[in-house]
Amino acid sequence: MEEEIYESTGYVVDAVGKNIDSLTFLGTPLIDVTDMWQLMLRFVINTFVIWCIVHFLYYRKSRRLDYYFTFSLISISIFFLIFLLGGVKLKIGLALGLFAIFGIIRYRTESMPVREMTYLFVIISISVINALAVTLSYAELLLTNLIFIASIWLFESNRGLKHLSCKLVMYDRIELIKPECYDQMVEDLRQRTGLTIIRVEVGSIDFLRDTAMLKVYYDSENVGVNSVDNVLKFPKGEV
């Protein structure tokens, strides 16, 4: 079917005014129905997958609303950044997208625990894949996302693995850190902390203050992650 092209405005329509796929004005697209539907469908897939990971796998154990907020918005930002820059056909588009990704990881105000950093990397990876994998079919894209979800669920479920928590303790009874007094030290820690202690490792020793840094491994019924286990001092502003 022949198309009528209006040179003065740049609009492109068919002879009967139906099946309009794109409209342009002075060389700039006003709407591209095909690309718009592709964008929305990929965005819905990406958002649903990220929500499943954050809500059902991460938040179920951590209960951290701050990271829930962070992961969700970073996923949306990275998806649109990569998808839209990739569609502009600029060579610097991908470079800017990667720079933004690594900038988010590197330039942060506070150190992030390893588990949260892993989730952040996974979420960024999924968002980039969903935005850039335009040559994949939707079935392949869904399969890739499902593999991510299944892998995270498998490792988070701790099936076949016993969860062992650890805590750093500044110990004041330095006379009990001797190897021959190990059992007495463990019993003392059990009495004072109420934890089911499995083993204790002795770290640095300060003879001036009569203290030693211990790493205490204990059996915890709560399989969640305690974000302050490895903290030895109060953060600034909380003292």
Side-chain angles (χ1 to χ4, degrees):
M1 184 178 296
E2 295 182 356
E3 294 181 341
E4 298 176 358
I5 302 178
Y6 296 89
E7 299 292 344
S8 59
T9 61
Y11 286 100
V12 180
V13 298
D14 59 18
V16 294
K18 297 179 180 179
N19 300 324
I20 300 177
D21 289 331
S22 63
L23 295 174
T24 62
F25 180 75
L26 299 178
T28 301
L30 292 177
I31 183 173
D32 191 320
V33 178
T34 303
D35 288 347
M36 185 179 69
W37 277 110
Q38 183 182 27
L39 169 64
M40 293 308 300
L41 182 57
R42 288 178 177 273
F43 175 71
V44 169
I45 293 174
N46 182 74
T47 303
F48 178 74
V49 171
I50 297 301
W51 178 76
C52 289
I53 292 175
V54 175
H55 187 80
F56 293 108
L57 299 177
Y58 172 77
Y59 183 72
R60 182 173 61 88
K61 285 188 176 182
S62 299
R63 301 295 179 182
R64 295 288 301 271
L65 282 176
D66 50 350
Y67 283 117
Y68 194 114
F69 171 84
T70 300
F71 292 154
S72 300
L73 287 190
I74 282 181
S75 172
I76 295 173
S77 303
I78 291 297
F79 175 83
F80 281 115
L81 176 68
I82 298 299
F83 188 91
L84 296 178
L85 285 180
V88 175
K89 308 298 183 184
L90 293 177
K91 292 182 179 180
I92 63 171
L94 183 59
L96 289 174
L98 293 176
F99 174 80
I101 292 174
F102 289 113
I104 292 173
I105 296 177
R106 174 63 183 88
Y107 300 106
R108 55 188 186 274
T109 56
E110 64 176 82
S111 61
M112 187 179 291
V114 175
R115 183 169 179 269
E116 276 69 18
M117 279 296 298
T118 304
Y119 268 99
L120 179 60
F121 182 76
V122 169
I123 286 170
I124 290 176
S125 300
I126 293 175
S127 301
V128 172
I129 290 172
N130 291 333
L132 282 182
V134 294
T135 58
L136 294 179
S137 65
Y138 286 109
E140 293 173 307
L141 193 63
L142 287 172
L143 178 61
T144 302
N145 284 272
L146 288 176
I147 291 175
F148 269 107
I149 294 177
S151 300
I152 297 173
W153 173 82
L154 178 63
F155 290 110
E156 280 283 24
S157 61
N158 297 319
R159 297 189 180 276
L161 300 175
K162 184 178 180 180
H163 182 72
L164 193 66
S165 301
C166 67
K167 189 183 297 291
L168 296 180
V169 176
M170 293 299 295
Y171 193 55
D172 56 347
R173 298 189 63 182
I174 198 171
E175 70 277 2
L176 296 181
I177 66 173
K178 300 175 183 179
E180 59 270 20
C181 300
Y182 177 81
D183 292 337
Q184 299 180 42
M185 178 179 63
V186 171
E187 183 60 30
D188 180 57
L189 288 170
R190 286 174 181 167
Q191 293 292 332
R192 298 170 71 177
T193 63
L195 300 174
T196 306
I197 297 176
I198 306 300
R199 72 177 189 272
V200 178
E201 297 176 357
V202 179
S204 60
I205 303 172
D206 190 340
F207 288 106
L208 294 177
R209 297 180 177 86
D210 288 335
T211 58
M213 193 270 286
L214 307 181
K215 193 168 188 179
V216 179
Y217 294 87
Y218 62 97
D219 189 7
S220 175
E221 295 181 357
N222 179 20
V223 296
V225 178
N226 191 342
S227 60
V228 297
D229 267 348
N230 294 328
V231 176
L232 284 176
K233 61 181 180 180
F234 287 103
K236 293 182 178 179
E238 297 184 10
V239 180

